[in-house]
């Protein structure tokens, strides 16, 4: 191995692999609800962190769609029902 120099490119991520809040808002299961929640945010402080939340919600929906965590959540209609596993 060799030392990495400042400015060296370690790896590249293509634009097609980047997940954005727009993708979350377009998600078929949680997008509609996320758009409704986003529309209710009034101030910059209200919006802080919401994009991160939206991405997390979309990734959680994808996990449920792929069957991980079976029995803890299900896709219903236009929304996602997530049940706590306590």
């Amino acid at each position: 191995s060799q030392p990495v120099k400042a400015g060296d490119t370690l790896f590249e991520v293509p634009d097609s692999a980047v997940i954005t809040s727009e993708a979350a808002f377009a998600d078929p299961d949680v997008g509609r609800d996320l758009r409704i929640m986003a529309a209710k945010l009034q101030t910059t402080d209200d919006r802080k962190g919401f994009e991160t939340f939206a991405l997390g919600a979309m990734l959680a929906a994808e996990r449920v769609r792929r069957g991980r965590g079976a029995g803890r959540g299900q896709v219903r209609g236009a929304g996602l029902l997530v049940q706590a596993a306590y």
Side-chain angles (χ1 to χ4, degrees):
S1 73
Q2 297 178 4
V4 177
K5 293 180 238 158
D8 283 356
T9 300
L10 300 178
F11 61 90
E12 293 182 3
V13 177
D15 289 345
S16 61
V18 177
I19 302 172
T20 64
S21 57
E22 288 79 19
F25 294 145
D27 184 85
D29 295 312
V30 296
R32 177 179 174 269
D33 294 327
L34 291 171
R35 290 190 305 274
I36 291 169
M37 285 189 270
K40 292 180 181 181
L41 301 176
Q42 301 295 317
T43 67
T44 302
D45 283 343
D46 291 342
R47 292 183 197 99
K48 259 187 197 169
F50 186 77
E51 287 186 355
T52 302
F53 168 78
L55 292 172
M58 182 189 73
L59 293 173
E62 184 61 27
R63 183 178 176 122
V64 171
R65 283 192 286 263
R66 291 178 182 242
R68 294 185 194 109
R72 295 185 186 163
Q74 344 171 357
V75 176
R76 288 201 177 162
L80 178 71
L81 171 65
V82 178
Q83 301 166 339
Y86 297 78

